[in-house]
Structures are given as C-alpha cells and as structure tokens.
Amino acid sequence: MTVRTASQLTALFACLTLLVTGCGSAKAGSPVPNGAEAAKYVSAKFSATLDKLGNQFSGTDAKKSVQDTFARFDQQKINSTVSAVQLGRPPSRLSRNHSNLDSNEFLDTFHPANSPVEYMLLGPVYASLAPTHWVSMPYTGGDLNECFWAGSQGLCKMLSTVSDAVDHGRAKTARSAPDGSLELTTDVTLGSFLDNRVVVFPQSILDKITPAMKAQTLAARLVLDAKGRLTEIRLSGLVRGSGHEVELNEHYRLDGTPTENDLPKVPDPADVTVLPDSAAVSDFYARMREIQGR
C-alpha cells in the first residue's frame, strides 16, 4: 500500500471538487454510473487529478469538524472524539482530543493566529506532566501542510486510504442527491487502513493481525455538498480471522459554522508551564507516551 504525501492528499481534495464539477450534467437526484462503470468513472477522475495537482491545503478555510474513532481488537477498545475549529486569516486553530471511555483523559491544543507558541490543556490523566493545567511550546507548524494539524490529520489519513482503494479499482457507487450533493462508496482494505495509520494500534496487536485479515475490506462512504466540499467520510466494518475480531468505525463530518465563541482565550501565564525548546518538548512527549502506554 502507498502512504500518500501531504501534497498528494491536497490534490485529492481538489480532485473531489472536480468530481462534482464533472458530474454537473447529471440531473439532481440521478445516479452517476454504478458498479463497474463507477469504478472506471471515479478512478479516472481521481487518478487524473492526483497526477496533475500538487497544491497544498491553504489552511485558511473556516471550518468546524468532529471526528469519532471507535476501534476494537477483541476486548481492547479505543473510543475517542476529536473536535476541531479553524477560523480566521491567518487561522486560529483548536483541536480537542477527548476519550469517550474516560472523561479525565483529554488533550486540547490551541494555536492563536500568528502566535509564536501553541498551548496544550492537560486533562487529569496527564496532570503529572506539568505543575499547571496548560503547557506552551514553540509553534513549528507555520510552513507545514494542513494535514499536520491535529484537526485534519485523521481526515487526511482516511482520504489516503480511500485513494488507495480507488487506485486498485474498488470504487463501487457514485450517486447525486436532489440537493446537489454527491455520495461515493468504495471498499478499503484493513491493510491500507493500518498502513495509513488511520488508527495506530500497538505492535502487540499488529502482530496478531494476519495477512488474510488485512486483505479483508471495510466500507467507505464520502459525501460532498453541491459546492464540492467534503462534508462527511466514514470508514467502518468488522474483520475476523485467526480467532480474533477487529471492529472499526471512523467518522469525520463538518459540524456547522465556527465563530469566535468556539475558541478559548489565551491562558493566563500563571497557569502555563513553558516548554522553551525542542529538548523540553521531546521530553514532554516521551513522558506522555509512557502514560498512554500503561
């Protein structure tokens, strides 16, 4: 499987826009070719656009999104929600990563527009990492693609997985709705899902997932609005093999129009532990991984 670069994922977004434009001749509510025709139609649109376009995400479009992650390997579970806001030019960005299994386990990351630092709010599970509720660290994402932002990382990984599937001819249906939106479906392999790190399993679990299990497929569904904007994507399914089960449900969707009220205030300096350099940041994340690995 191929893990795509950030610029290729950007092209994929542009490709989705062209897909809707290319369907402009279809009447509202009519099906775009299904079955084998859909595979050719969708694959051609994706492939041609991926070959030609390389623009990166601008990172300036206002958006508010939610991504739910549910993953189960036998009795071991991951259940979390990332809610994100991007607002302004240049943007302020907020992402809230909260466990749905333990309300004390959360990490909120906030980068005010043009700030040289970004802030992280530590949930009680991570309280031992700093003597204050917040930490700050140098902001190093200014020149990076939007896919590196926590609010878009999961989406980019899901799109890369879908693109793998389309490259291998697994596109199934493309159907327009009366409101001008477009729904696309395809199958994605568990192997591609794992290779693109949509969910990161520990090695102890990965060692138990066999090649035969990786070849099994999950269902993927994408929805674009009448303007060609991706509004929803879901990858889900159940894979069985060698006495094990892998259940996955990854769901990203837009969540209304963001406003300034969706962003927090810059924290009081008295409630912020400063991580001044890369060494301090590396140590912080190493200690965080120890907590997450318990």
Side-chain angles (χ1 to χ4, degrees):
M1 304 293 177
T2 300
V3 179
R4 280 176 165 69
T5 64
S7 60
Q8 287 176 310
L9 289 169
T10 304
L12 182 54
F13 265 127
C15 154
L16 290 170
T17 300
L18 289 187
L19 241 175
V20 174
T21 303
C23 296
S25 59
K27 295 180 180 179
S30 65
V32 182
N34 292 324
E37 291 182 3
K40 295 178 182 178
Y41 170 81
V42 179
S43 296
K45 290 289 185 181
F46 273 70
S47 298
T49 307
L50 285 170
D51 287 343
K52 294 177 181 178
L53 300 180
N55 294 329
Q56 294 185 337
F57 296 154
S58 66
T60 58
D61 291 341
K63 61 184 174 182
K64 185 178 180 182
S65 64
V66 175
Q67 182 161 346
D68 293 319
T69 294
F70 177 83
R72 177 179 65 84
F73 180 84
D74 294 339
Q75 300 306 312
Q76 297 174 263
K77 296 179 181 177
I78 299 170
N79 190 338
S80 62
T81 297
V82 175
S83 53
V85 174
Q86 179 171 277
L87 183 65
R89 291 176 178 263
S92 294
R93 288 173 171 169
L94 170 70
S95 65
R96 303 181 186 273
N97 191 338
H98 286 226
S99 168
N100 296 318
L101 301 175
D102 182 353
S103 61
N104 291 316
E105 184 177 355
F106 63 84
L107 296 166
D108 295 356
T109 303
F110 176 47
H111 178 240
N114 290 321
S115 173
V117 300
E118 63 181 343
Y119 301 91
M120 181 178 288
L121 176 64
L122 307 177
V125 165
Y126 301 102
S128 63
L129 294 176
T132 56
H133 292 97
W134 292 85
V135 298
S136 70
M137 59 191 77
Y139 180 65
T140 59
D143 296 326
L144 297 178
N145 183 279
E146 189 178 330
C147 284
F148 289 89
W149 171 48
S152 288
Q153 279 182 7
L155 170 62
C156 290
K157 293 174 180 179
M158 294 171 78
L159 286 171
S160 186
T161 304
V162 169
S163 185
D164 281 346
V166 173
D167 285 349
H168 287 83
R170 295 194 182 94
K172 292 176 66 177
T173 64
R175 183 175 295 275
S176 63
D179 62 1
S181 63
L182 180 69
E183 178 182 283
L184 307 173
T185 65
T186 185
D187 289 330
V188 302
T189 64
L190 174 61
S192 179
F193 185 97
L194 296 175
D195 287 349
N196 284 294
R197 299 173 65 83
V198 180
V199 171
V200 180
F201 286 112
Q203 191 61 45
S204 59
I205 288 179
L206 293 175
D207 289 342
K208 298 174 184 177
I209 299 176
T210 65
M213 293 171 70
K214 290 181 179 180
Q216 294 183 48
T217 59
L218 313 169
R221 173 179 176 269
L222 297 82
V223 179
L224 292 79
D225 66 15
K227 296 181 179 179
R229 181 175 59 166
L230 181 70
T231 60
E232 182 180 2
I233 177 172
R234 185 194 292 268
L235 309 181
S236 61
L238 177 65
V239 169
R240 295 187 176 95
S242 300
H244 298 292
E245 286 188 344
V246 181
E247 182 181 1
L248 298 165
N249 190 347
E250 194 78 19
H251 187 201
Y252 171 94
R253 60 205 180 275
L254 295 184
D255 188 36
T257 303
T259 70
E260 291 290 345
N261 293 331
D262 293 312
L263 298 171
K265 295 181 179 179
V266 174
D268 188 317
D271 198 24
V272 178
T273 297
V274 177
L275 306 178
D277 51 36
S278 59
V281 173
S282 295
D283 174 71
F284 172 81
Y285 279 111
R287 290 185 292 120
M288 179 187 291
R289 286 191 292 273
E290 289 180 2
I291 293 173
Q292 293 173 335
R294 291 172 188 170

